[in-house]
Amino acid sequence: MCGIVGYVGGRPALDVVVEGLARLEYRGYDSAGVAVLADGKLATAKRAGKLVNLRGALEDEPPPEGTLGMGHTRWATHGAPNDRNAHPHVDCTGSVAVIHNGIIENFAELRAELEENGHRLLSDTDTEAVAHLLEDEVKAGGGLVEAMRRVCRRLEGAFTLVAVHTGDPDLVVGARRNSPLVVGVGEGENFLASDVAAFIAHTRNAIELGQDQIVELRAGGVTVTDFEGRPADVKEYHVDWDVSAAEKGGFDYFMLKEIAEQPQAVADTLLGRIGADGRLHLDEMRIPDRELREVDKIIIVACGTSYHAGLIAKYAIEHWAGLPCEVELASEFRYRDPILSPSTLVIAISQSGETMDALMAVRHAREQKAKLLGICNVNGSTLPRECDGVLYTHAGPEIAVASTKAFLTQLVAVYLIALYIAQVRGTKWGDEVFAMVQLLERMPEKVEKVLETMEPVRELARSLSGEHCVLFLGRHVGFPVALEGALKLKELAYMHAEGFAAGELKHGPIALIEEGLPVVVVVPPRAREVLHDKIVSNIQEIRARGARTIVIAEDGDESVEPYADTLIGVPAVPTLLQPLVTTVPLQVFACELASAKGHDVDQPRNLAKSVTVE
Ligand code: F6R
């Protein structure tokens, strides 16, 4: 969602800020704007639509050159995505400018109060209220930092705010509650951004900001305090990837690059976690083995694709670790009454570590004293701070909105956790766990094999670009894979796509089958005879009713050949690990189909990469 960039240093701020915004485009947005402070005056420019529109406006009317500035890409919440509602917003005097990510829940009262006091608000946004509140507080004295503190104490909801004031032309102030903001530490220059991608071309040194903290950014230094003005402990870290990881590297889309990176991402996520003796070492989980032995229930919370990883985790945890496992959409979790106790382990899965629904679910679980473990891809994000322990996935930056390599690495992480719990609790250790760990190490090469054989999938996708609906069927872990295939197609190709558990067909969905309807079926390995044979019957049932069957089955599975209009082979792997290979053709399929339809594959309409509001 909204992207934020702030800069103060020695370079032309506009260039740094616009370049930073371009690197945050992947977050999803519908308008963009900048403010530059030069010669004691604020110059702003903002435009609805993509950055190209803003760049055009800046070329038509270049602002004066300054070395302090900020920029924003807005994903509309309050008010339509037009020029007027785009950020930055300024106060009545034109001396304070503000950008914001999040939702200020008490904005209506604040706005009414401001209007009563004579302020003129020009937009429909919650953000503009902050500019006017800052105007009053700056007038009241104490400078912009103190003004920001006083304003933040009045705000309800989630926000990252960045503000500048003509009265202090070397200062950018940031504030954060429940919404992402990181500091980039340079030499003689400093940066603020929603994520490190915005400044990675300039520095790889970053500071993680905590909840309810204010950062005072000057060219010569960074000071972090809390909303009361007390100095805060800051955690500096080094970003372990460079700018090339956030570029397309010769691919047409980030998504294609990220699909291609999956073998490496899987290998990196396994790296250093398997000892020479085949035992797992997950010390970074920071939940002592003694406590893991006491766990009697696991609940997984996540959204979207990460939720699908959670659904697969359930099968792995119940089978290997022998613990009951529930999987819950994070957005639903805290609105019911989940039964949690200190012996419940709640695992939150989130690529970004900033998804508000996931964070709220974690806080709800913490209130009930459950143990909390995060699976997260972004170092420095909020989720790891809120959990007792974290297992990082090492997918590297995922820029395309549709999650691909993060999903595969989440699967690796949940397999590792399930196997580790099995190891600690002594369930199945010595045979199956050991064998699975060995097999996991061979998965990068299996995923690579799948990628080498994707041309027929691309051809198939192109041939289906005129269709309006595609169904996906699976059983066991193939069911969440079917859901994931459908989600990818919905978000990228804007087509009606549904995933079903194949066993549910006869309970309703079979009525949807009509002549020529494409149905993708994920077939379990032949070794799971009962499951396998049941789904082969399902394929026959839908084919008899006219469906065009697209079958994903392990290489050499001749039993499905007679019933498959298109057969996509994947390497043979055990059932629980099969999602690592069966998901890949579905990613390629959705990407190619969307591209054939002329869609923006990396930034599908209406979507944001990290959903930082509820
Ligand atoms: C789909 C997709 C989304 C995310 C979801 C959760 O391709 O990317 O469904 O999976 O928004 O995001 P994270 O994992 O960042 O919490």
Side-chain angles (χ1 to χ4, degrees):
M1 286 185 157
C2 304
I4 278 180
V5 186
Y7 174 75
V8 53
R11 301 180 224 214
L14 189 64
D15 296 350
V16 178
V17 163
V18 173
E19 179 204 328
L21 290 183
R23 292 198 185 279
L24 296 183
E25 274 196 292
Y26 78 94
R27 296 173 68 87
Y29 70 105
D30 34 43
S31 60
V34 289
V36 174
L37 221 161
D39 309 324
K41 287 205 177 99
L42 263 176
T44 60
K46 34 198 213 170
R47 283 291 179 278
K50 294 290 177 189
L51 264 188
V52 63
N53 300 351
L54 177 66
R55 286 189 208 268
L58 291 168
E59 266 167 36
D60 293 346
E61 256 182 80
E65 202 164 280
T67 56
L68 179 147
M70 61 186 188
H72 188 264
T73 47
R74 171 172 187 255
W75 192 88
T77 53
H78 292 74
N82 54 27
D83 291 358
R84 196 164 51 86
N85 289 331
H87 300 201
H89 290 284
V90 293
D91 67 330
C92 298
T93 65
S95 59
V96 175
V98 177
I99 54 180
H100 165 224
N101 174 18
I103 294 177
I104 294 165
E105 284 162 8
N106 57 337
F107 93 101
E109 295 129 69
L110 294 170
R111 214 182 146 102
E113 176 193 309
L114 285 161
E115 278 170 344
E116 213 177 290
N117 294 340
H119 288 271
R120 269 193 69 223
L121 279 77
L122 307 174
S123 75
D124 312 315
T125 65
D126 48 349
T127 310
E128 196 186 355
V130 177
H132 294 270
L133 289 170
L134 282 172
E135 175 190 346
D136 286 350
E137 293 297 348
V138 166
K139 271 190 205 137
L144 184 63
V145 177
E146 191 45 45
M148 183 64 99
R149 269 190 204 112
R150 292 197 292 258
V151 170
C152 285
R153 293 200 292 260
R154 296 198 59 196
L155 303 180
E156 285 164 23
F159 51 85
T160 287
L161 293 162
V162 174
V164 296
H165 176 229
T166 52
D168 200 342
D170 175 44
L171 172 68
V172 180
V173 175
R176 121 164 244 270
R177 170 182 287 166
N178 283 339
S179 208
L181 187 65
V182 282
V183 180
V185 184
E187 279 180 26
E189 60 181 359
N190 290 303
F191 307 79
L192 274 178
S194 308
D195 72 57
V196 296
F199 54 70
I200 194 74
H202 307 292
T203 179
R204 288 166 71 181
N205 296 325
I207 292 177
E208 215 177 285
L209 291 178
Q211 274 299 67
D212 288 8
Q213 290 185 349
I214 300 259
V215 56
E216 185 178 340
L217 200 78
R218 297 186 184 273
V222 175
T223 310
V224 185
T225 48
D226 66 15
F227 285 179
E228 306 302 325
R230 291 178 291 245
D233 285 339
V234 293
K235 196 174 151 212
E236 245 187 277
Y237 64 100
H238 186 73
V239 182
D240 58 7
W241 47 272
D242 65 15
V243 68
S244 65
E247 286 171 352
K248 285 188 197 152
F251 287 86
D252 287 344
Y253 309 112
F254 278 109
M255 185 174 176
L256 285 175
K257 177 178 175 239
E258 289 160 9
I259 289 173
E261 284 171 346
Q262 293 185 111
Q264 191 59 49
V266 168
D268 289 347
T269 302
L270 290 167
L271 199 70
R273 288 168 169 165
I274 303 172
D277 58 354
R279 286 184 79 87
L280 293 170
H281 301 280
L282 302 183
D283 308 340
E284 67 219 273
M285 265 171 51
R286 294 200 311 260
I287 300 179
D289 289 356
R290 178 184 40 79
E291 287 185 24
L292 275 183
R293 279 188 208 102
E294 282 159 14
V295 168
D296 58 14
K297 176 164 89 169
I298 294 182
I299 299 183
I300 298 178
V301 288
C303 306
T305 288
S306 300
Y307 171 71
H308 297 154
L311 291 176
I312 292 165
K314 175 181 168 72
Y315 291 86
I317 288 169
E318 290 183 347
H319 180 72
W320 288 326
L323 281 171
C325 177
E326 294 167 19
V327 191
E328 183 87 29
L329 287 166
S331 52
E332 289 293 321
F333 184 67
R334 72 186 179 120
Y335 297 107
R336 58 181 191 89
D337 299 307
I339 314 293
L340 305 175
S341 75
S343 55
T344 310
L345 174 65
V346 171
I347 304 179
I349 309 177
S350 172
Q351 186 283 131
S352 60
E354 299 293 354
T355 299
M356 184 58 73
D357 290 317
L359 295 175
M360 289 303 179
V362 161
R363 284 176 202 161
H364 187 63
R366 169 147 330 269
E367 279 163 20
Q368 330 243 337
K369 314 245 177 318
K371 287 182 221 331
L372 296 165
L373 175 63
I375 294 177
C376 182
N377 192 45
V378 179
N379 198 341
S381 63
T382 306
L383 182 77
R385 299 172 72 98
E386 307 239 345
C387 291
D388 300 313
V390 62
L391 196 70
Y392 280 104
T393 50
H394 296 296
E398 192 177 66
I399 307 290
V401 163
S403 188
T404 53
K405 61 176 179 171
F407 177 68
L408 255 59
T409 58
Q410 287 168 347
L411 294 183
V412 172
V414 298
Y415 293 144
L416 288 172
I417 290 169
L419 291 167
Y420 184 70
I421 297 176
Q423 178 180 302
V424 168
R425 295 168 63 94
T427 47
K428 308 206 177 200
W429 171 248
D431 43 44
E432 194 173 340
V433 169
F434 184 77
M436 280 303 140
V437 170
Q438 307 295 303
L439 279 167
L440 264 181
E441 288 198 286
R442 299 198 49 206
M443 291 315 290
E445 107 203 27
K446 307 269 182 203
V447 176
E448 190 69 65
K449 278 229 159 58
V450 181
L451 289 171
E452 282 163 12
T453 56
M454 284 298 93
E455 196 40 45
V457 175
R458 283 189 277 272
E459 259 170 48
L460 171 76
R462 290 192 289 270
S463 76
L464 294 180
S465 63
E467 297 291 334
H468 298 291
C469 173
V470 180
L471 301 185
F472 294 77
L473 299 180
R475 272 182 183 268
H476 194 264
V477 287
F479 168 43
V481 171
L483 294 176
E484 176 61 9
L487 177 63
K488 285 281 129 1
L489 202 61
K490 274 180 213 157
E491 62 183 336
L492 296 171
Y494 317 151
M495 281 166 78
H496 175 233
E498 292 296 329
F500 297 108
E504 281 294 292
L505 255 188
K506 296 194 199 67
H507 301 287
I510 202 163
L512 292 169
I513 307 292
E514 56 187 21
E515 197 57 39
L517 180 80
V519 183
V520 179
V521 189
V522 183
V523 179
R526 281 162 295 180
R528 290 299 291 267
E529 212 174 306
V530 180
L531 275 180
H532 176 271
D533 294 357
K534 287 228 156 63
I535 211 159
V536 175
S537 302
N538 294 140
I539 302 173
Q540 293 174 55
E541 285 154 14
I542 55 170
R543 200 148 187 266
R545 288 162 178 82
R548 173 174 175 176
T549 55
I550 301 157
V551 177
I552 302 179
E554 66 183 12
D555 289 328
D557 185 349
E558 285 165 11
S559 60
V560 289
E561 268 174 34
Y563 317 112
D565 291 307
T566 307
L567 182 58
I568 300 164
V570 291
V573 298
T575 312
L576 280 169
L577 302 187
Q578 209 197 23
L580 285 170
V581 290
T582 47
T583 306
V584 177
L586 301 181
Q587 298 168 341
V588 173
F589 179 71
C591 182
E592 189 68 26
L593 208 152
S595 148
K597 284 178 141 218
H599 292 175
D600 185 340
V601 169
D602 287 334
Q603 293 172 47
R605 69 182 180 202
N606 303 336
L607 293 179
K609 180 68 183 163
S610 41
V611 182
T612 52
V613 295
E614 266 191 282

